[in-house]
Amino acid sequence: MPQIIDGKAISAKVRAEVAEQTAALKQRGITPGLAVIIVGDDPASRVYVNNKKKACAEVGFYSEEHALPATTTQDELLALIKCLNARSDINGILCQLPLPKGLDDKAVIESIAPIKDVDAFHASNVGRIMLGEYSFLPCTPAGVMELIHSTGIEVSGKECVVIGRSNIVGKPMAMLLLHENGTVTICHSRTRDLAEVTRRADILVAAVGKAKFVTPDMVKEGAVVIDVGMNRDENGKLCGDVDFDAVAPKCSAITPVPGGVGPMTIAMLMRNTLTAALLQNGLE
Ligand code: NAP
């Protein structure tokens, strides 16, 4: 039987640690603050923003939401971020992506002060990740690393295969595995004979965005399989990139969807916001 990696429990542990450190920080008169910007009325973005606000309240952060209409101009959005950059009570700023048409995601991310960029999407933070000199790790890949660590597997020297090369998941994921001395291969839609590559993986991370894409013939016996995907199956049910029922019997450990990577992303956002508060107060 494979170990089913319990992302909910691991996420709760990370959030409890953050809450404990936040309580200690509050004793010194410092309350970490997160500003969340949402533009337009995308229902998925609304759910994510509500979850982030709830998580902030649970760990004891101050949070504020800036819900802007879809008609917001680029200049208006940049003016808001400029104002948040200057506020000492706001340690983290995140702008829920994707932005509505007409707004430039990249310019908006680049306008956030890197020290408040708790999503770690700013080019300066991305560069720091490459160099291995980071303060913030991108939330989803950082959450995946926590899940991998929970299995007890040593990344060093292992064959690690990441399917997907997006800037927010695949690329930083590969970098974090490399920093821990994994032998890393990144696959994408142009990869030839994908199954032949993924079958080499001791640690396989799927970040494709296609329901049940990873099938048993793509997985090595005893592999650790991490499923980042969040998709809907033919019945509208939430499912990952991995065909869980078929693949699980071959694995030593595997994440479910839901209850795997998903809960970790918010936990790591809370950790980054705490780190931002510590850094901005000269405490880290
Ligand atoms: P993305 O930007 O669409 O990237 C998908 C990647 O998969 C691309 O690099 C693409 O290759 C590759 N790909 C597509 N078809 C492929 C194929 N047939 N063979 C091999 N590679 C293929 O997606 P993303 O933002 O990285 O997200 C990936 C998944 O993770 C989505 O389901 C998303 O919802 C989920 N996600 C979950 C969380 C969480 O908190 N759990 C956070 C972020 C994302 P090319 O580059 O060649 O096109």
Side-chain angles (χ1 to χ4, degrees):
M1 275 298 284
Q3 175 192 350
I4 309 298
I5 304 169
D6 188 347
K8 265 193 193 163
I10 298 165
S11 157
K13 193 164 160 267
V14 172
R15 284 182 284 120
E17 284 163 11
V18 172
E20 201 183 312
Q21 287 174 270
T22 300
L25 205 53
K26 281 180 160 176
Q27 301 273 320
R28 305 174 69 163
I30 300 164
T31 301
L34 178 69
V36 183
I37 303 168
I38 175 168
V39 188
D41 49 12
D42 176 58
S45 291
R46 171 45 56 204
V47 171
Y48 291 134
V49 167
N50 288 347
N51 289 342
K52 286 168 186 173
K53 278 166 50 189
K54 199 167 146 235
C56 282
E58 277 168 13
V59 297
F61 291 172
Y62 166 73
S63 76
E64 63 183 35
E65 178 186 314
H66 296 267
L68 308 178
T71 51
T72 301
T73 65
Q74 181 86 1
D75 285 348
E76 286 166 339
L77 187 51
L78 294 182
L80 169 63
I81 293 172
K82 191 174 176 198
C83 174
L84 295 170
N85 279 339
R87 274 175 55 187
S88 60
D89 61 330
I90 294 297
N91 305 113
I93 302 168
L94 72 82
C95 189
Q96 191 64 43
L97 301 177
L99 290 166
K101 276 203 180 80
L103 294 173
D104 180 353
D105 288 18
K106 198 162 167 263
V108 169
I109 289 168
E110 293 304 306
S111 74
I112 296 173
I115 199 154
K116 297 191 175 186
D117 168 41
V118 285
D119 266 335
F121 291 164
H122 191 288
S124 149
N125 286 322
V126 173
R128 283 167 172 274
I129 291 158
M130 289 286 291
L131 296 170
E133 296 168 359
Y134 37 77
S135 303
F136 309 123
L137 290 175
C139 299
T140 300
V144 170
M145 293 310 291
E146 290 282 329
L147 297 179
I148 292 172
H149 294 153
S150 80
T151 67
I153 191 176
E154 182 78 32
V155 176
S156 183
K158 297 291 187 308
E159 289 284 344
C160 304
V161 175
V162 179
I163 320 178
R165 58 174 164 179
S166 70
N167 289 331
I168 60 164
V169 188
K171 283 184 203 163
M173 186 70 250
M175 207 47 63
L176 299 193
L177 290 162
L178 183 63
H179 287 322
E180 291 199 14
N181 301 313
T183 301
V184 185
T185 306
I186 307 177
C187 299
H188 45 79
S189 64
R190 310 284 176 89
T191 298
R192 264 185 277 162
D193 201 353
L194 181 66
E196 191 271 321
V197 181
T198 59
R199 268 198 302 273
R200 286 190 235 137
D202 302 305
I203 299 172
L204 178 63
V205 180
V208 189
K210 291 190 171 162
K212 302 182 185 177
F213 179 80
V214 176
T215 45
D217 58 303
M218 297 168 73
V219 178
K220 178 179 174 176
E221 198 73 46
V224 171
V225 174
I226 308 286
D227 190 350
V228 181
M230 289 219 287
N231 315 295
R232 296 277 163 191
D233 70 9
E234 57 283 3
N235 303 313
K237 208 175 136 216
L238 190 63
C239 73
D241 288 343
V242 178
D243 185 351
F244 183 90
D245 291 339
V247 168
K250 287 191 85 171
C251 304
S252 60
I254 184 167
T255 57
V257 178
V261 176
M264 293 306 294
T265 300
I266 287 189
M268 303 322 283
L269 174 68
M270 298 299 109
R271 187 185 272 175
N272 279 351
T273 305
L274 175 66
T275 302
L278 292 170
L279 285 170
Q280 286 160 45
N281 286 282
L283 296 171
E284 189 153 294

